[in-house]
């Protein structure tokens, strides 16, 4: 009997092992963790992207980044020109089995547009919504607005009943430290279900067998592990501990490309990396703020050697930028992309003329887990500014530490990367970054600037239905941003992903968003 039991046990273990091996498990080593399981908790593209595997919107981008139906099957603009009617997909269920209805759409739009929602800027024209019937919903806007569908690609739909049961109808906010049930629990309609989450350690997603769409992936399980150290991430990839990273360090790309078990996927991100300035009266030191003056911002701009950063820090993989949007983005023109001349002597002259004291101290806020090689290019820029007589105090820390400082105006100069998401249109940064803070506008205007003429151009673009006329307004607004040097662009950052030989398909998207519902494991 003992022998029989042993044989049965051995057979059972072998069967379990075979089952485990048969699973297609994608082990994703990211350079950081998501901020929350609540996609409305912060305007962070990475968090929203990861949670798009769990939650879905009324529409979505397809493999060619064209908008297509998702939870809505069709839509039309009603005669008043400001109300959009959406016909919803029948038979969709949330992960807990609740049916998807128009009530869920209205509750979600109410939550995301609430005055305390950090994502309200992603739905700038929204006024109200109403249930027409179980599978029809009307969305009313504040005027004619051409970009509603683009906005809705990033507005994920919650289950109203689930939110009500768990007191989650109000938005959470990572920046303000406001948490709720949705911070640690999820219930979407998407292709994957959250199985478990340990913040800063591991989040596990398993396939949703009841997904309404036909899967194009063959994954059974995704294990997202934040691996902050670039060296550790590379070692984990080479050893097979992880099978995918969406942040392969540019300095290690030759080594990874030479490895027999690794494939490197490269491109240039749509994300433009910029430096922003405070426009308030005083710096964090209490001293008068000279960055309110354009010649001082120009002095700092001319002191930055973009070519040196491109070659030494970004290993020739970035693209130097003169515009605040990338070339593929509507509204961009070549004239906007003219680069500044690196001229430290001119910088010193501008500072002297503006009366900036020698050795002026200010905080330079950077993220240790943000943009590609951010800490390194911040160190380089701080050094360049030191050479023109300034004393920047480099403050590098994780996003969780720096975000409250930035959103609450508790720092001075700071970095920002903007990929024009979710719109993939220059209206995105114009409204969210460069517009004055006003309702849903200027949510990322952390410097506190206000240019009424610029606001008027942006507002006019937001209600212009003619595409050519709208883009002309946006280009004019971008010209003003450039002329005033409200923020100074550095580069479009390189995008480098890497997969091990076990991954058969991993489409690379220019918006740097992994869409693992298109990924396939080999074998």
């Amino acid at each position: 009997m003992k022998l029989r039991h042993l044989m049965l046990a051995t057979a059972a273990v072998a069967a379990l092992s075979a089952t485990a091996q048969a699973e297609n498990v994608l082990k994703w080593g990211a350079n950081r963790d998501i901020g929350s399981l609540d996609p409305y908790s912060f305007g962070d593209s990475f968090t929203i992207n990861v949670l798009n595997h769990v939650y879905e919107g009324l529409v979505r981008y397809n493999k060619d980044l064209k908008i297509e139906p998702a939870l809505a099957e069709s839509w039309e603009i009603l005669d008043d020109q400001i109300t959009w009617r959406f016909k919803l997909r029948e038979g969709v269920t949330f992960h807990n089995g609740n049916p998807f209805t128009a009530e869920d759409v209205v509750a979600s739009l109410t939550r995301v547009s609430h005055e305390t929602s950090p994502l309200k800027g992603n739905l700038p024209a929204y006024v109200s919504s109403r249930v027409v019937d179980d599978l029809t919903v009307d969305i009313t806007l504040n005027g004619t607005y051409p970009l509603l569908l683009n906005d809705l690609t990033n507005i994920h739909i919650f289950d109203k009943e689930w939110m009500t049961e768990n007191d989650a109808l109000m938005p959470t906010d990572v920046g303000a430290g406001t948490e709720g049930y949705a911070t640690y629990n999820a219930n979407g309609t998407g292709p994957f279900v959250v199985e478990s989450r340990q913040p800063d350690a591991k989040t596990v997603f398993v396939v949703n067998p009841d997904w309404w769409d036909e899967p194009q992936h063959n994954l059974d399980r995704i294990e997202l592990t934040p691996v902050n150290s670039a060296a550790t991430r590379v070692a984990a990839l080479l050893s097979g501990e992880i099978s995918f990273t969406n942040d392969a360090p540019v300095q290690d790309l030759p080594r990874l490309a030479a490895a027999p078990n690794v494939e490197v996927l490269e491109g240039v991100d749509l994300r433009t990396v910029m430096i922003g300035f405070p426009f308030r009266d005083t710096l964090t030191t209490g001293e008068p703020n000279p960055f309110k003056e354009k010649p001082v911002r120009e002095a700092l701009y001319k002191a930055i050697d973009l070519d040196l950063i491109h070659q030494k820090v970004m290993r020739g993989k970035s693209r130097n930028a003169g515009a605040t949007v990338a070339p593929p983005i509507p509204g961009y023109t070549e004239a906007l992309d003219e680069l500044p001349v690196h001229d430290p002597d001119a910088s010193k002259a501008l500072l002297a003329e503006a009366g900036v004291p020698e050795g002026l101290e200010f905080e330079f806020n950077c993220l240790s887990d943000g943009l590609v090689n951010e800490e390194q290019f911040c160190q380089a820029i701080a050094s360049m500014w030191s050479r023109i007589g300034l004393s920047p105090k480099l403050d590098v820390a994780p996003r969780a530490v720096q975000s409250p400082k930035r959103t609450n105006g508790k720092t001075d100069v700071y970095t920002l990367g903007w990929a024009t998401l979710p719109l993939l249109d220059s209206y995105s940064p114009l409204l969210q970054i460069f517009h004055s803070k006003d309702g849903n506008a200027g949510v990322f205007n952390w410097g506190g600037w206000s240019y009424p003429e610029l606001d008027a151009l942006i507002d006019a673009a937001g209600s212009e239905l003619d595409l050519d006329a709208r883009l002309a307004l946006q280009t004019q607004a971008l010209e003003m941003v450039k002329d005033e040097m409200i923020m100074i662009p550095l580069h479009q950052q390189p995008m480098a992903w890497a997969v091990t030989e076990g991954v058969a398909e991993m489409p690379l998207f220019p918006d740097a968003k992994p869409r693992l519902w298109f990924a396939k494991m080999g074998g």
Side-chain angles (χ1 to χ4, degrees), residues 188-252:
T189 59
F192 294 91
V193 179
V194 175
E195 181 188 79
S196 62
R197 171 158 171 76
Q198 296 173 276
D200 298 321
K202 181 182 285 189
T203 303
V204 177
F205 308 87
V206 295
V207 69
N208 173 13
D210 299 319
W211 191 33
W212 57 270
D213 201 2
E214 185 70 27
Q216 296 185 45
H217 68 89
N218 67 354
L219 306 182
D220 298 301
R221 183 181 180 89
I222 301 168
E223 297 178 359
L224 173 67
T225 305
V227 185
N228 303 124
S229 162
T232 304
R233 210 159 50 247
V234 168
L237 197 66
L238 291 172
S239 68
E241 190 176 343
I242 61 173
S243 48
F244 165 60
T245 182
N246 61 318
D247 186 12
V250 293
Q251 60 271 24
D252 292 307

Side-chain angles (χ1 to χ4, degrees), residues 10-28:
T10 303
V13 169
L16 285 172
S17 177
T19 300
Q21 290 174 2
E23 276 196 330
N24 285 324
V25 180
L26 185 76
K27 297 183 178 181
W28 179 0

Side-chain angles (χ1 to χ4, degrees), residues 81-317:
Q81 296 294 301
I82 61 171
T83 302
W84 294 52
R85 175 160 292 176
F86 288 83
K87 293 290 186 180
L88 307 182
R89 190 175 298 278
E90 190 173 3
V92 176
T93 58
F94 288 93
H95 296 158
N96 65 355
N98 285 347
F100 161 67
T101 71
E103 293 280 2
D104 302 313
V105 177
V106 172
S108 299
L109 295 178
T110 301
R111 185 176 191 265
V112 75
S113 61
H114 191 272
E115 62 180 8
T116 62
S117 167
L119 220 62
K120 63 185 178 184
N122 280 11
L123 205 55
Y126 176 82
V127 173
S128 64
S129 54
R130 75 177 184 94
V131 173
V132 178
D133 59 42
D134 279 354
L135 292 176
T136 308
V137 63
D138 283 352
I139 298 177
T140 300
L141 308 181
N142 58 11
T144 55
Y145 179 63
L147 293 163
L148 177 62
L149 295 179
N150 303 60
D151 291 341
L152 291 175
T153 59
N154 233 30
I155 303 300
H156 300 163
I157 302 302
F158 280 74
D159 172 8
K160 180 183 179 183
E161 183 178 341
W162 178 83
M163 288 196 294
T164 303
E165 289 174 352
N166 296 293
D167 192 24
L169 287 167
M170 295 293 286
T172 62
D173 186 342
V174 168
T178 305
E179 296 187 341
Y181 187 78
T183 305
Y184 299 102
N185 300 275
N187 179 40
T189 59
F192 294 91
V193 179
V194 175
E195 181 188 79
S196 62
R197 171 158 171 76
Q198 296 173 276
D200 298 321
K202 181 182 285 189
T203 303
V204 177
F205 308 87
V206 295
V207 69
N208 173 13
D210 299 319
W211 191 33
W212 57 270
D213 201 2
E214 185 70 27
Q216 296 185 45
H217 68 89
N218 67 354
L219 306 182
D220 298 301
R221 183 181 180 89
I222 301 168
E223 297 178 359
L224 173 67
T225 305
V227 185
N228 303 124
S229 162
T232 304
R233 210 159 50 247
V234 168
L237 197 66
L238 291 172
S239 68
E241 190 176 343
I242 61 173
S243 48
F244 165 60
T245 182
N246 61 318
D247 186 12
V250 293
Q251 60 271 24
D252 292 307
L253 293 184
R255 181 182 171 205
L256 289 172
N261 64 328
V262 174
E263 180 184 1
V264 174
L265 311 170
E266 288 190 77
V268 175
D269 196 342
L270 292 176
R271 189 175 308 275
T272 300
V273 176
M274 299 174 267
I275 290 177
F277 300 96
F279 278 51
R280 60 179 183 271
D281 291 336
T282 58
L283 299 173
T284 52
T285 59
E287 295 297 316
N289 173 19
F291 299 119
K292 294 196 303 182
E293 306 301 325
K294 176 183 169 182
V296 178
R297 300 193 295 275
E298 183 178 3
L300 270 69
Y301 200 7
K302 287 180 176 293
I304 298 173
D305 188 339
L306 293 175
D307 289 336
L308 186 66
I309 292 172
H310 171 72
Q311 291 297 334
K312 299 297 184 184
V313 179
M314 309 308 288
R315 310 295 174 112
K317 303 286 187 181

